[in-house]
Structure formats: C-alpha cells, structure tokens
Amino acid sequence: MCVIIDTNAFASVFGKSVDSIEFKPLLDWLEDGDGCMVYGGSTYKKELNNASSYYKYIAELKKGNRAREIDGSIVDNEENQVLLKVTSKSFDDSHLVAIAIVSGCSFICSKDSSANKYLKNKKIYPSKFRVPRIYRGLSNINLLQKNNIQKNCTYCRIQNNKKRKKAKKK
C-alpha cells in the first residue's frame, strides 16, 4: 500500500522538524510496515530539487523497495488533464492528483490544508476512484491500518507481484 508525500511534509516525515513526532508513525510504516512511497513527474521533481537534502531518505526507501518512481511523462500528461479541470491559481498540487490517478494511490501526506478542497474534489478524479485520505499528523494515525488504505495502488501491486515472482524463481 502506498502514500504520496507532498514535499511540504518532508521535514516532518524525515525527522528534521519540530513536529516530526506527529509524522513518526508514517515514517515507521514506510520503513518497517506495509508502506511504499510513490512519486513522479516534472513538477514533483522540481519540488524535490528544491528539497534536495531529502534525496538520501528517498534513496534509502528506494533501496529497500519502499519508494517507487512512476514514469514522469505519464504523470505529466495526467497533470495536464487535471489542470484542464481545475483552473484556480490557488491550486498548486495538480501533480499530487496526477500521481494518485496514475498509480491508483489514494493516500496522501501533506501539510497544506488549503489544498484539501482540491485533493478531495471527486470531480477531478476518474469515476469510481477513491478520493484520497490525507495524513496530517497523529490525529490521522488510524489511516496507517491496512483496511483504511486503498488496496488497488496499481503501481505498487505490479511492483510487488514482480518482486514476489523473482523471489519464487530463486
């Protein structure tokens, strides 16, 4: 099961902020539990470049098969479609919606509460897509339970199936 981590939450998730205690359960879930971070696309990469001190954390997650990068061109194309649906200049998280749609992930960690009205807008997503749940701290710890997280993250399911098949062959 996967999560999309907005770059505005990196300091909190990766232990470099005063509110890191609020996000420690999410980090533990990523490192030792059922979690997997998904990311991708040009906009996310630009934001990641501005937060380059967190590369090492993502690299460690990738090494442990706990972070997966989605094909950027697919995310970029989907982001363009999202931007056609939402034209508000205050909406700057279209890339998160695009990552969710492409991956099938419906779990986002973000500290931007002003993005809620967009991230939770059913009209932006394909029909039957589960609107993302948002982790903002300890009050959302219940979201880290298996039954509360989308089981159909296409990207993680495909990757995990490939990993399992390789393990069986060995």
Side-chain angles (χ1 to χ4, degrees), residues 108-122:
I108 297 174
C109 173
S110 177
K111 292 178 67 174
D112 183 4
S113 57
S114 66
N116 261 10
K117 66 181 177 182
Y118 302 108
L119 295 176
K120 293 196 162 279
N121 184 344
K122 290 181 182 183

PDB file of all heavy atoms in Angstrom, residues 108-122:
ATOM      1  N   ILE A 108      -2.469  10.400   0.756  1.00  0.00           N
ATOM      2  CA  ILE A 108      -1.530  11.498   0.582  1.00  0.00           C
ATOM      3  C   ILE A 108      -1.126  12.045   1.943  1.00  0.00           C
ATOM      4  O   ILE A 108      -1.956  12.190   2.833  1.00  0.00           O
ATOM      5  CB  ILE A 108      -2.154  12.633  -0.269  1.00  0.00           C
ATOM      6  CG1 ILE A 108      -2.462  12.124  -1.683  1.00  0.00           C
ATOM      7  CG2 ILE A 108      -1.238  13.852  -0.316  1.00  0.00           C
ATOM      8  CD1 ILE A 108      -3.216  13.110  -2.558  1.00  0.00           C
ATOM      9  N   CYS A 109       0.144  12.355   2.092  1.00  0.00           N
ATOM     10  CA  CYS A 109       0.640  13.044   3.288  1.00  0.00           C
ATOM     11  C   CYS A 109       0.979  14.463   2.857  1.00  0.00           C
ATOM     12  O   CYS A 109       1.802  14.665   1.963  1.00  0.00           O
ATOM     13  CB  CYS A 109       1.887  12.342   3.827  1.00  0.00           C
ATOM     14  SG  CYS A 109       2.668  13.244   5.185  1.00  0.00           S
ATOM     15  N   SER A 110       0.316  15.430   3.474  1.00  0.00           N
ATOM     16  CA  SER A 110       0.543  16.825   3.123  1.00  0.00           C
ATOM     17  C   SER A 110       0.275  17.709   4.326  1.00  0.00           C
ATOM     18  O   SER A 110      -0.572  17.394   5.158  1.00  0.00           O
ATOM     19  CB  SER A 110      -0.376  17.246   1.969  1.00  0.00           C
ATOM     20  OG  SER A 110      -0.212  18.617   1.676  1.00  0.00           O
ATOM     21  N   LYS A 111       0.992  18.815   4.390  1.00  0.00           N
ATOM     22  CA  LYS A 111       0.752  19.786   5.453  1.00  0.00           C
ATOM     23  C   LYS A 111      -0.022  20.989   4.926  1.00  0.00           C
ATOM     24  O   LYS A 111      -0.293  21.924   5.659  1.00  0.00           O
ATOM     25  CB  LYS A 111       2.086  20.223   6.059  1.00  0.00           C
ATOM     26  CG  LYS A 111       2.769  19.097   6.835  1.00  0.00           C
ATOM     27  CD  LYS A 111       4.095  19.506   7.384  1.00  0.00           C
ATOM     28  CE  LYS A 111       3.944  20.560   8.460  1.00  0.00           C
ATOM     29  NZ  LYS A 111       5.225  20.890   9.115  1.00  0.00           N
ATOM     30  N   ASP A 112      -0.401  20.959   3.667  1.00  0.00           N
ATOM     31  CA  ASP A 112      -1.101  22.064   3.028  1.00  0.00           C
ATOM     32  C   ASP A 112      -2.613  21.871   3.154  1.00  0.00           C
ATOM     33  O   ASP A 112      -3.246  21.275   2.285  1.00  0.00           O
ATOM     34  CB  ASP A 112      -0.681  22.145   1.557  1.00  0.00           C
ATOM     35  CG  ASP A 112      -1.317  23.315   0.829  1.00  0.00           C
ATOM     36  OD1 ASP A 112      -2.031  24.117   1.461  1.00  0.00           O
ATOM     37  OD2 ASP A 112      -1.098  23.416  -0.392  1.00  0.00           O
ATOM     38  N   SER A 113      -3.174  22.371   4.231  1.00  0.00           N
ATOM     39  CA  SER A 113      -4.613  22.180   4.453  1.00  0.00           C
ATOM     40  C   SER A 113      -5.452  22.964   3.449  1.00  0.00           C
ATOM     41  O   SER A 113      -6.598  22.600   3.186  1.00  0.00           O
ATOM     42  CB  SER A 113      -5.002  22.561   5.883  1.00  0.00           C
ATOM     43  OG  SER A 113      -4.638  23.889   6.147  1.00  0.00           O
ATOM     44  N   SER A 114      -4.898  23.993   2.829  1.00  0.00           N
ATOM     45  CA  SER A 114      -5.657  24.744   1.823  1.00  0.00           C
ATOM     46  C   SER A 114      -5.872  23.930   0.546  1.00  0.00           C
ATOM     47  O   SER A 114      -6.737  24.245  -0.261  1.00  0.00           O
ATOM     48  CB  SER A 114      -4.955  26.065   1.499  1.00  0.00           C
ATOM     49  OG  SER A 114      -3.725  25.828   0.860  1.00  0.00           O
ATOM     50  N   ALA A 115      -5.106  22.860   0.372  1.00  0.00           N
ATOM     51  CA  ALA A 115      -5.261  22.007  -0.809  1.00  0.00           C
ATOM     52  C   ALA A 115      -6.400  20.998  -0.658  1.00  0.00           C
ATOM     53  O   ALA A 115      -6.793  20.365  -1.628  1.00  0.00           O
ATOM     54  CB  ALA A 115      -3.959  21.273  -1.093  1.00  0.00           C
ATOM     55  N   ASN A 116      -6.936  20.860   0.552  1.00  0.00           N
ATOM     56  CA  ASN A 116      -7.992  19.874   0.823  1.00  0.00           C
ATOM     57  C   ASN A 116      -9.145  19.934  -0.168  1.00  0.00           C
ATOM     58  O   ASN A 116      -9.599  18.910  -0.668  1.00  0.00           O
ATOM     59  CB  ASN A 116      -8.560  20.052   2.226  1.00  0.00           C
ATOM     60  CG  ASN A 116      -7.978  19.080   3.200  1.00  0.00           C
ATOM     61  OD1 ASN A 116      -7.024  18.378   2.902  1.00  0.00           O
ATOM     62  ND2 ASN A 116      -8.544  19.045   4.382  1.00  0.00           N
ATOM     63  N   LYS A 117      -9.644  21.138  -0.423  1.00  0.00           N
ATOM     64  CA  LYS A 117     -10.828  21.254  -1.268  1.00  0.00           C
ATOM     65  C   LYS A 117     -10.560  20.754  -2.685  1.00  0.00           C
ATOM     66  O   LYS A 117     -11.475  20.342  -3.377  1.00  0.00           O
ATOM     67  CB  LYS A 117     -11.374  22.678  -1.277  1.00  0.00           C
ATOM     68  CG  LYS A 117     -10.487  23.712  -1.910  1.00  0.00           C
ATOM     69  CD  LYS A 117     -11.143  25.076  -1.828  1.00  0.00           C
ATOM     70  CE  LYS A 117     -10.237  26.147  -2.402  1.00  0.00           C
ATOM     71  NZ  LYS A 117     -10.837  27.468  -2.299  1.00  0.00           N
ATOM     72  N   TYR A 118      -9.311  20.756  -3.103  1.00  0.00           N
ATOM     73  CA  TYR A 118      -8.964  20.239  -4.424  1.00  0.00           C
ATOM     74  C   TYR A 118      -8.621  18.749  -4.359  1.00  0.00           C
ATOM     75  O   TYR A 118      -9.099  17.969  -5.172  1.00  0.00           O
ATOM     76  CB  TYR A 118      -7.790  21.024  -5.012  1.00  0.00           C
ATOM     77  CG  TYR A 118      -8.077  22.493  -5.133  1.00  0.00           C
ATOM     78  CD1 TYR A 118      -7.470  23.408  -4.292  1.00  0.00           C
ATOM     79  CD2 TYR A 118      -8.979  22.969  -6.075  1.00  0.00           C
ATOM     80  CE1 TYR A 118      -7.739  24.762  -4.388  1.00  0.00           C
ATOM     81  CE2 TYR A 118      -9.263  24.317  -6.180  1.00  0.00           C
ATOM     82  CZ  TYR A 118      -8.648  25.210  -5.332  1.00  0.00           C
ATOM     83  OH  TYR A 118      -8.921  26.545  -5.424  1.00  0.00           O
ATOM     84  N   LEU A 119      -7.803  18.375  -3.394  1.00  0.00           N
ATOM     85  CA  LEU A 119      -7.392  16.968  -3.276  1.00  0.00           C
ATOM     86  C   LEU A 119      -8.579  16.051  -3.015  1.00  0.00           C
ATOM     87  O   LEU A 119      -8.549  14.882  -3.365  1.00  0.00           O
ATOM     88  CB  LEU A 119      -6.351  16.804  -2.165  1.00  0.00           C
ATOM     89  CG  LEU A 119      -5.004  17.487  -2.378  1.00  0.00           C
ATOM     90  CD1 LEU A 119      -4.117  17.304  -1.153  1.00  0.00           C
ATOM     91  CD2 LEU A 119      -4.315  16.961  -3.621  1.00  0.00           C
ATOM     92  N   LYS A 120      -9.626  16.584  -2.412  1.00  0.00           N
ATOM     93  CA  LYS A 120     -10.794  15.775  -2.078  1.00  0.00           C
ATOM     94  C   LYS A 120     -11.977  16.022  -3.022  1.00  0.00           C
ATOM     95  O   LYS A 120     -13.083  15.554  -2.774  1.00  0.00           O
ATOM     96  CB  LYS A 120     -11.205  16.022  -0.633  1.00  0.00           C
ATOM     97  CG  LYS A 120     -10.163  15.507   0.346  1.00  0.00           C
ATOM     98  CD  LYS A 120     -10.747  15.418   1.722  1.00  0.00           C
ATOM     99  CE  LYS A 120      -9.937  14.541   2.611  1.00  0.00           C
ATOM    100  NZ  LYS A 120     -10.187  13.134   2.464  1.00  0.00           N
ATOM    101  N   ASN A 121     -11.745  16.727  -4.107  1.00  0.00           N
ATOM    102  CA  ASN A 121     -12.793  17.029  -5.083  1.00  0.00           C
ATOM    103  C   ASN A 121     -13.010  15.831  -6.017  1.00  0.00           C
ATOM    104  O   ASN A 121     -12.179  15.551  -6.879  1.00  0.00           O
ATOM    105  CB  ASN A 121     -12.419  18.274  -5.878  1.00  0.00           C
ATOM    106  CG  ASN A 121     -13.491  18.702  -6.850  1.00  0.00           C
ATOM    107  OD1 ASN A 121     -14.406  17.952  -7.171  1.00  0.00           O
ATOM    108  ND2 ASN A 121     -13.368  19.928  -7.328  1.00  0.00           N
ATOM    109  N   LYS A 122     -14.114  15.136  -5.863  1.00  0.00           N
ATOM    110  CA  LYS A 122     -14.407  13.930  -6.646  1.00  0.00           C
ATOM    111  C   LYS A 122     -14.433  14.192  -8.147  1.00  0.00           C
ATOM    112  O   LYS A 122     -14.152  13.292  -8.939  1.00  0.00           O
ATOM    113  CB  LYS A 122     -15.747  13.336  -6.220  1.00  0.00           C
ATOM    114  CG  LYS A 122     -15.735  12.724  -4.859  1.00  0.00           C
ATOM    115  CD  LYS A 122     -17.085  12.136  -4.526  1.00  0.00           C
ATOM    116  CE  LYS A 122     -17.062  11.555  -3.127  1.00  0.00           C
ATOM    117  NZ  LYS A 122     -18.311  10.905  -2.782  1.00  0.00           N
TER     118      LYS A 122
END
